[in-house]
């Protein structure tokens, strides 16, 4: 399987040969509750509309939501899943899943979050878990732990950012040996990086000078280019999605604006605020975007876009309709 373990988001490819099924952790936007896993059969990877199956709901009396968001990773070659969720009461919690024992947890992180998390398994210390989140009062916090059952979550001494209102962040551990972060700060897309394990973070730099970005962006390092390009997709206030990419074979490390994803005249228009991306074993970039919460709707939709190197983007392909089902969780 070639899905990068350096992805961050809530969509992923399960372990499998030659291909694994696609999965998402669906998180009902606040003020509703609900957290569950869905998967797509590997026999129908190009079917429209896509065929998805609901798996288990993820429940705990200690962590009931409502949630800011969830981030998920396939954390080892056995197919183990790990997720981190942030609640609207600022709580951060970690759950794990394996095919034998099902879901376990939560373990709570020693800090607070004012927005959805980014979560990866990096390479520091033999493979630490790394989490970054928007911080109440402004800025971004960073947490880490050893990726084993005995590991304890700790807050990193160096915060990625001290101020600014961040609506969401994406995180990778790049081939340059650094943690790299893309986030929406005060409505604009920013990028920054940490100079090695425990190092100082760079000053956030604006990728695109506009105030139209919203929610949580998605960031990966793809297999495109010799050194692997950085790929970011972010939602816009006007309802579209924009793809940015950085050419890492260029000494200037310039960012470029790719296509804007919008509905065709004969398609439904969507308004997003949460994006996930990974590069699948098919070699394609797979983008999943979740609709913003709307009080007058009974569901929110997860929409799929996909593209191979040098190919146009396909989509919007409706992937999932998720009910705003408050019965997933007990009322509190």
């Amino acid at each position: 399987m070639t899905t990068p373990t350096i992805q961050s988001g809530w969509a992923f490819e399960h372990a499998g040969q030659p291909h694994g099924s696609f999965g998402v952790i669906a998180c009902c936007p606040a003020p509703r509750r609900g957290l569950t896993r869905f998967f797509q059969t590997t026999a129908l990877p190009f079917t429209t509309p896509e065929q998805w199956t609901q798996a288990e709901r993820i429940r705990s009396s200690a962590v009931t939501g409502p949630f800011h968001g969830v981030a998920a990773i396939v954390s080892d070659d056995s197919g183990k899943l790990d997720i981190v969720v942030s609640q609207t009461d600022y709580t951060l919690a970690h759950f794990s899943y394996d095919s034998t024992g099902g879901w376990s947890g939560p373990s709570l992180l020693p800090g607070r979050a004012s927005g959805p998390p980014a979560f990866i398994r990096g390479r520091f210390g033999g493979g630490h878990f790394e989490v970054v989140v928007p911080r109440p009062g402004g800025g971004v916090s960073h947490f880490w732990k050893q990726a084993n059952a005995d590991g304890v979550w700790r807050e990193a001494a160096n915060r990625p950012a001290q101020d600014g209102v961040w609506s969401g962040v994406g995180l990778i551990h790049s081939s340059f040996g650094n943690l790299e972060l893309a986030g929406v700060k005060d409505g604009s897309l920013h990028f920054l990086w940490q100079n090695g394990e425990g190092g100082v973070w760079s000053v956030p730099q604006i990728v695109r000078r506009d105030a139209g970005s919203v929610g949580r962006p998605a960031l990966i390092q793809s297999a495109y280019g010799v050194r692997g390009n950085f790929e970011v997709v972010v939602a816009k206030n006007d309802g579209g999605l924009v793809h940015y990419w950085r050419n890492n074979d260029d000494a200037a490390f310039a960012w470029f604006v790719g296509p804007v994803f919008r509905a065709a005249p004969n398609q439904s228009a969507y308004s997003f605020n949460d994006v996930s991306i990974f590069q699948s074993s098919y070699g394609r970039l797979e983008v999943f975007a979740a609709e913003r919460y709307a009080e007058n709707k009974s569901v929110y939709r997860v929409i799929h876009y996909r593209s191979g190197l040098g190919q146009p983007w396909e989509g919007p392909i409706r992937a999932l309709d998720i009910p705003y089902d408050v019965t997933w969780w007990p009322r509190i």
Side-chain angles (χ1 to χ4, degrees), residues 68 90 92 111-117 132-143 155-156 158-169:
H68 288 303
Y90 307 135
L92 275 166
R112 308 200 307 161
S114 60
V132 293
V133 293
R135 181 171 167 267
V140 175
S141 295
H142 174 203
F143 305 93
E155 184 167 5
N158 291 324
R159 289 178 178 154
Q162 297 293 333
D163 55 22
V165 177
W166 297 74
S167 61
V169 289

Side-chain angles (χ1 to χ4, degrees), residues 189-235:
L189 183 65
H190 287 67
F191 180 80
L192 61 156
W193 54 276
Q194 185 184 33
N195 187 15
E197 184 175 6
V200 175
W201 288 82
S202 67
V203 175
Q205 299 293 320
I206 294 178
V207 173
R208 185 73 173 176
R209 192 171 294 280
D210 62 41
S213 298
V214 295
R216 173 170 47 168
L219 166 68
I220 63 166
Q221 184 173 17
S222 71
Y224 300 158
V226 176
R227 302 178 77 175
N229 295 336
F230 291 168
E231 317 277 353
V232 176
V233 178
V234 64

Side-chain angles (χ1 to χ4, degrees), residues 11-31:
F12 50 89
E13 184 175 357
H14 288 282
Q17 293 296 335
H19 306 291
S21 63
F22 291 175
V24 300
I25 305 295
C27 178
C28 280

